[in-house]
Amino acid sequence: GENVEQHPSTLSVQEGDSAVIKCTYSDSASNYFPWYKQELGKRPQLIIDIRSNVGEKKDQRIAVTLNKTAKHFSLHITETQPEDSAVYFCAAIASGNTPLVFGKGTRLSVIA
Amino acid sequence: GAGVSQSPRYKVAKRGQDVALRCDPISGHVSLFWYQQALGQGPEFLTYFQNEAQLDKSGLPSDRFFAERPEGSVSTLKIQRTQQEDSAVYLCATQLGNTIYFGEGSWLTVV
């Protein structure tokens, strides 16, 4: 089955700096890669996703890149703000009938 | 409803007690998943339904865990003889295409 590894487990950045979180996956059949932000006590919230037919997607300060050959994908947050502080999870899925497999999460702290 | 609804939001159970956690999915969403999220960890897959059929229960950690969705809508996750290691947030999610919709979760604490 699919296995998703996520690094780093914790990340501290100064406000205004960029943050990068990296994930690798094992199942070459995986074709959809969402990223979730989870604040304490809240449900995971989808912030951006990428499908296997594109290499990069950007939404304002957030971007995701995908390297299918190397089976890794990354989340980039630019101009970080204190409200970006949360736990971020990557995930991978092979098809609509299979469960999302999550990474173990990255706790991002943005220091003002 | 507008989203995935879970109840109870918070449950404290004594060790050995049985608990039942309910998920009301978004109307019309065929696929329903249960995840377990321990403190500081990512969500871990428990089981998956397509309508009323339980297609995958490989993630259930023991035979004390049981899930059902008898009419293809509301689902219940039951945990028998709860243990301290069962303490976690139990997330229900439904899926439409590749988009996953999470409920707020049921926080279970076993004391």
Short mmCIF file of all heavy atoms in Angstrom, two decimals, chain B residues 12-20 64-65 78-87 90 108-111:
data_model
loop_
_atom_site.label_atom_id
_atom_site.label_comp_id
_atom_site.label_asym_id
_atom_site.label_seq_id
_atom_site.Cartn_x
_atom_site.Cartn_y
_atom_site.Cartn_z
N VAL B 12 -15.68 11.28 27.29
CA VAL B 12 -14.76 10.70 28.27
C VAL B 12 -15.34 9.36 28.68
O VAL B 12 -16.49 9.29 29.11
CB VAL B 12 -14.58 11.61 29.49
CG1 VAL B 12 -13.65 10.95 30.51
CG2 VAL B 12 -14.03 12.97 29.07
N ALA B 13 -14.56 8.31 28.48
CA ALA B 13 -15.03 6.98 28.81
C ALA B 13 -14.11 6.35 29.84
O ALA B 13 -12.89 6.56 29.81
CB ALA B 13 -15.08 6.12 27.56
N LYS B 14 -14.69 5.58 30.72
CA LYS B 14 -13.87 4.80 31.65
C LYS B 14 -13.35 3.58 30.93
O LYS B 14 -14.05 2.99 30.08
CB LYS B 14 -14.70 4.41 32.86
CG LYS B 14 -15.06 5.58 33.76
CD LYS B 14 -15.76 5.10 35.01
CE LYS B 14 -16.05 6.29 35.93
NZ LYS B 14 -16.76 5.88 37.16
N ARG B 15 -12.15 3.20 31.27
CA ARG B 15 -11.56 2.03 30.64
C ARG B 15 -12.49 0.83 30.79
O ARG B 15 -13.01 0.57 31.88
CB ARG B 15 -10.20 1.73 31.27
CG ARG B 15 -9.37 0.71 30.52
CD ARG B 15 -7.97 0.63 31.05
NE ARG B 15 -7.95 0.34 32.47
CZ ARG B 15 -6.85 0.27 33.20
NH1 ARG B 15 -5.68 0.49 32.64
NH2 ARG B 15 -6.91 0.00 34.47
N GLY B 16 -12.73 0.15 29.67
CA GLY B 16 -13.62 -1.00 29.69
C GLY B 16 -15.03 -0.68 29.21
O GLY B 16 -15.80 -1.59 28.90
N GLN B 17 -15.32 0.61 29.13
CA GLN B 17 -16.65 1.03 28.68
C GLN B 17 -16.74 0.94 27.15
O GLN B 17 -15.73 1.09 26.45
CB GLN B 17 -16.89 2.48 29.16
CG GLN B 17 -18.25 3.03 28.93
CD GLN B 17 -18.37 4.46 29.46
OE1 GLN B 17 -17.48 4.99 30.11
NE2 GLN B 17 -19.49 5.09 29.17
N ASP B 18 -17.94 0.71 26.64
CA ASP B 18 -18.17 0.73 25.20
C ASP B 18 -18.57 2.15 24.79
O ASP B 18 -19.27 2.84 25.53
CB ASP B 18 -19.30 -0.22 24.81
CG ASP B 18 -18.96 -1.68 25.10
OD1 ASP B 18 -17.79 -1.99 25.43
OD2 ASP B 18 -19.87 -2.52 25.01
N VAL B 19 -18.14 2.57 23.59
CA VAL B 19 -18.53 3.88 23.08
C VAL B 19 -19.02 3.74 21.64
O VAL B 19 -18.64 2.80 20.92
CB VAL B 19 -17.38 4.92 23.14
CG1 VAL B 19 -16.93 5.14 24.56
CG2 VAL B 19 -16.23 4.53 22.25
N ALA B 20 -19.88 4.66 21.25
CA ALA B 20 -20.37 4.71 19.87
C ALA B 20 -20.24 6.13 19.37
O ALA B 20 -20.70 7.08 20.02
CB ALA B 20 -21.83 4.26 19.81
N ARG B 64 -11.97 -5.03 18.72
CA ARG B 64 -12.84 -4.22 19.59
C ARG B 64 -13.47 -3.07 18.79
O ARG B 64 -14.40 -2.43 19.28
CB ARG B 64 -12.03 -3.64 20.75
CG ARG B 64 -11.46 -4.69 21.71
CD ARG B 64 -10.80 -4.05 22.92
NE ARG B 64 -9.62 -3.26 22.56
CZ ARG B 64 -9.60 -1.94 22.50
NH1 ARG B 64 -10.69 -1.22 22.77
NH2 ARG B 64 -8.48 -1.30 22.18
N PHE B 65 -12.94 -2.83 17.61
CA PHE B 65 -13.44 -1.74 16.77
C PHE B 65 -14.38 -2.31 15.72
O PHE B 65 -14.06 -3.29 15.03
CB PHE B 65 -12.28 -1.02 16.09
CG PHE B 65 -11.47 -0.15 16.98
CD1 PHE B 65 -10.64 -0.68 17.95
CD2 PHE B 65 -11.53 1.24 16.86
CE1 PHE B 65 -9.88 0.14 18.78
CE2 PHE B 65 -10.78 2.06 17.68
CZ PHE B 65 -9.95 1.52 18.64
N LYS B 78 -18.03 1.93 16.55
CA LYS B 78 -18.19 1.44 17.92
C LYS B 78 -16.87 0.88 18.42
O LYS B 78 -16.18 0.14 17.69
CB LYS B 78 -19.28 0.36 17.96
CG LYS B 78 -20.65 0.89 17.56
CD LYS B 78 -21.70 -0.21 17.59
CE LYS B 78 -23.07 0.35 17.20
NZ LYS B 78 -24.12 -0.70 17.17
N ILE B 79 -16.53 1.21 19.63
CA ILE B 79 -15.33 0.70 20.26
C ILE B 79 -15.77 0.00 21.54
O ILE B 79 -16.37 0.61 22.43
CB ILE B 79 -14.31 1.80 20.58
CG1 ILE B 79 -14.06 2.68 19.35
CG2 ILE B 79 -13.00 1.18 21.08
CD1 ILE B 79 -13.20 3.90 19.64
N GLN B 80 -15.47 -1.27 21.62
CA GLN B 80 -15.86 -2.06 22.80
C GLN B 80 -14.69 -2.13 23.78
O GLN B 80 -13.52 -2.12 23.37
CB GLN B 80 -16.26 -3.48 22.37
CG GLN B 80 -17.47 -3.51 21.46
CD GLN B 80 -17.78 -4.93 20.99
OE1 GLN B 80 -16.88 -5.70 20.69
NE2 GLN B 80 -19.06 -5.26 20.94
N ARG B 81 -15.03 -2.18 25.05
CA ARG B 81 -14.02 -2.37 26.11
C ARG B 81 -12.85 -1.42 25.90
O ARG B 81 -11.70 -1.84 25.74
CB ARG B 81 -13.55 -3.82 26.13
CG ARG B 81 -14.69 -4.82 26.28
CD ARG B 81 -14.16 -6.26 26.33
NE ARG B 81 -13.38 -6.63 25.16
CZ ARG B 81 -13.87 -6.96 23.99
NH1 ARG B 81 -15.19 -6.94 23.80
NH2 ARG B 81 -13.08 -7.29 22.99
N THR B 82 -13.14 -0.13 25.89
CA THR B 82 -12.13 0.87 25.56
C THR B 82 -10.89 0.75 26.43
O THR B 82 -10.96 0.42 27.62
CB THR B 82 -12.69 2.29 25.69
OG1 THR B 82 -13.32 2.44 26.97
CG2 THR B 82 -13.69 2.60 24.60
N GLN B 83 -9.76 1.05 25.82
CA GLN B 83 -8.46 1.06 26.48
C GLN B 83 -7.88 2.47 26.35
O GLN B 83 -8.29 3.25 25.49
CB GLN B 83 -7.52 0.06 25.81
CG GLN B 83 -8.05 -1.37 25.78
CD GLN B 83 -8.15 -1.96 27.17
OE1 GLN B 83 -7.23 -1.81 27.98
NE2 GLN B 83 -9.26 -2.62 27.46
N GLN B 84 -6.89 2.74 27.19
CA GLN B 84 -6.29 4.08 27.17
C GLN B 84 -5.70 4.42 25.81
O GLN B 84 -5.76 5.58 25.38
CB GLN B 84 -5.24 4.22 28.26
CG GLN B 84 -5.85 4.44 29.64
CD GLN B 84 -4.82 4.86 30.66
OE1 GLN B 84 -3.78 4.24 30.78
NE2 GLN B 84 -5.13 5.90 31.41
N GLU B 85 -5.16 3.43 25.13
CA GLU B 85 -4.55 3.70 23.83
C GLU B 85 -5.56 4.05 22.75
O GLU B 85 -5.19 4.45 21.65
CB GLU B 85 -3.69 2.52 23.36
CG GLU B 85 -4.45 1.22 23.16
CD GLU B 85 -4.35 0.30 24.36
OE1 GLU B 85 -4.18 0.79 25.51
OE2 GLU B 85 -4.44 -0.94 24.14
N ASP B 86 -6.86 3.91 23.09
CA ASP B 86 -7.90 4.30 22.13
C ASP B 86 -8.14 5.81 22.16
O ASP B 86 -8.86 6.34 21.31
CB ASP B 86 -9.22 3.60 22.45
CG ASP B 86 -9.11 2.08 22.37
OD1 ASP B 86 -8.21 1.58 21.66
OD2 ASP B 86 -9.91 1.40 23.05
N SER B 87 -7.56 6.50 23.14
CA SER B 87 -7.74 7.94 23.24
C SER B 87 -7.18 8.62 21.99
O SER B 87 -6.00 8.46 21.66
CB SER B 87 -7.04 8.48 24.49
OG SER B 87 -7.61 7.95 25.67
N TYR B 90 -11.39 10.91 16.48
CA TYR B 90 -11.89 10.04 15.41
C TYR B 90 -12.58 10.93 14.38
O TYR B 90 -13.57 11.58 14.66
CB TYR B 90 -12.83 8.98 15.99
CG TYR B 90 -12.05 7.99 16.82
CD1 TYR B 90 -11.78 8.24 18.17
CD2 TYR B 90 -11.51 6.84 16.26
CE1 TYR B 90 -11.01 7.38 18.93
CE2 TYR B 90 -10.75 5.96 17.01
CZ TYR B 90 -10.50 6.24 18.34
OH TYR B 90 -9.73 5.37 19.08
N LEU B 108 -12.10 11.41 21.87
CA LEU B 108 -12.32 10.36 22.87
C LEU B 108 -11.15 10.34 23.84
O LEU B 108 -9.99 10.24 23.43
CB LEU B 108 -12.46 8.99 22.21
CG LEU B 108 -12.53 7.79 23.15
CD1 LEU B 108 -13.79 7.85 24.01
CD2 LEU B 108 -12.49 6.49 22.37
N THR B 109 -11.48 10.43 25.11
CA THR B 109 -10.46 10.27 26.16
C THR B 109 -10.88 9.11 27.03
O THR B 109 -11.99 9.09 27.57
CB THR B 109 -10.35 11.54 27.02
OG1 THR B 109 -10.03 12.66 26.17
CG2 THR B 109 -9.26 11.39 28.07
N VAL B 110 -10.01 8.14 27.16
CA VAL B 110 -10.28 6.97 27.99
C VAL B 110 -9.47 7.09 29.28
O VAL B 110 -8.25 7.22 29.24
CB VAL B 110 -9.94 5.66 27.26
CG1 VAL B 110 -10.27 4.45 28.13
CG2 VAL B 110 -10.70 5.57 25.94
N VAL B 111 -10.19 7.08 30.40
CA VAL B 111 -9.51 7.28 31.69
C VAL B 111 -9.56 6.02 32.55
O VAL B 111 -10.35 5.12 32.27
CB VAL B 111 -10.14 8.47 32.45
CG1 VAL B 111 -9.96 9.76 31.67
CG2 VAL B 111 -11.62 8.22 32.73
#
